[in-house]
Amino acid sequence: MNRREIITVAGGLALGARGAHGASPERMKPQIGDVLVHAFGDRVGSAISPADVKDDRIFAFAMASDGVIRDGSLHNQLSLLRVDEMAMSEKTRRYAAGPFLAVSAACTHTGCEVSGWQPDTHELICPCHGSRFAVLDAARVVLGPATKPLALLPIEQGDGVIRVAGKFSRRVGPEPTY
Ligand code: FES
């Protein structure tokens, strides 16, 4: 089982354990001042500089000032994107750092990893049941079965890194079914 599979399984388990979030630093939601780091690949765990974010989406986690990476839950995984700032809706721009946007990778339908990215239409795509989300318009649903937008995470850039600047715009992942 590779790192991504382990994280995905861990995220799935977390969905089935409501109320168990937040006990450890790894499972805490991104906190203000955390630095965004590469979630996968050759540079896993290293800080993402604005220059790293080009046309392709980068998966990211938040890292606390003491070096703890908050990768204990799929709910903490982010898609970091560079898009046309002028094409963003006003609401979207409130969460952006210039052209950069951080969007939750947890699908609001049943919680799969939203792993698809279509740069020409600026849509994030969930492979599980095909939901599509328009990142330029606050990650609203373009195509279901998801009915809720993905959560946006406010970010800021400075000192060559990208930092968390606030709380998620909405609940991360699916609504509870109880
Ligand atoms: S979990 Fe994403 S579309 Fe169903």
Side-chain angles (χ1 to χ4, degrees):
M1 187 178 284
N2 64 30
R3 176 181 168 81
R4 174 174 297 192
E5 289 167 339
I6 290 169
I7 289 168
T8 301
V9 168
L13 291 173
L15 294 179
R18 286 191 290 271
H21 302 281
S24 67
E26 293 84 359
R27 293 180 62 80
M28 286 176 65
K29 289 178 179 163
Q31 303 292 304
I32 293 175
D34 285 356
V35 169
L36 298 190
V37 300
H38 290 270
F40 306 109
D42 296 343
R43 296 176 59 196
V44 64
S46 64
I48 299 170
S49 81
D52 293 334
V53 192
K54 300 187 172 74
D55 287 343
D56 203 5
R57 174 268 331 281
I58 292 179
F59 282 124
F61 284 119
M63 182 176 72
S65 58
D66 62 2
V68 170
I69 298 176
R70 306 195 197 281
D71 59 357
S73 169
L74 172 62
H75 282 187
N76 286 346
Q77 189 175 318
L78 302 162
S79 291
L80 186 59
L81 306 157
R82 179 195 285 264
V83 294
D84 180 1
E85 193 177 347
M86 299 309 293
M88 293 179 194
S89 68
E90 192 175 325
K91 179 178 180 184
T92 309
R93 212 171 287 134
R94 290 204 295 270
Y95 293 89
F100 305 109
L101 276 174
V103 185
S104 166
C107 186
T108 55
H109 179 222
T110 62
C112 284
E113 177 189 72
V114 179
S115 59
W117 168 235
Q118 199 161 308
D120 53 334
T121 59
H122 303 101
E123 289 174 359
L124 286 165
I125 302 161
C126 180
C128 285
H129 311 100
S131 290
R132 303 170 81 98
F133 303 88
V135 300
L136 295 177
D137 194 10
R140 72 175 168 81
V141 177
V142 175
L143 183 70
T147 60
K148 304 286 187 185
L150 298 173
L152 303 181
L153 185 69
I155 52 174
E156 59 189 10
Q157 53 174 323
D159 301 326
V161 297
I162 297 173
R163 294 182 188 278
V164 177
K167 295 181 178 177
F168 278 113
S169 60
R170 67 176 313 279
R171 181 186 181 86
V172 172
E175 302 288 334
T177 54
Y178 56 91

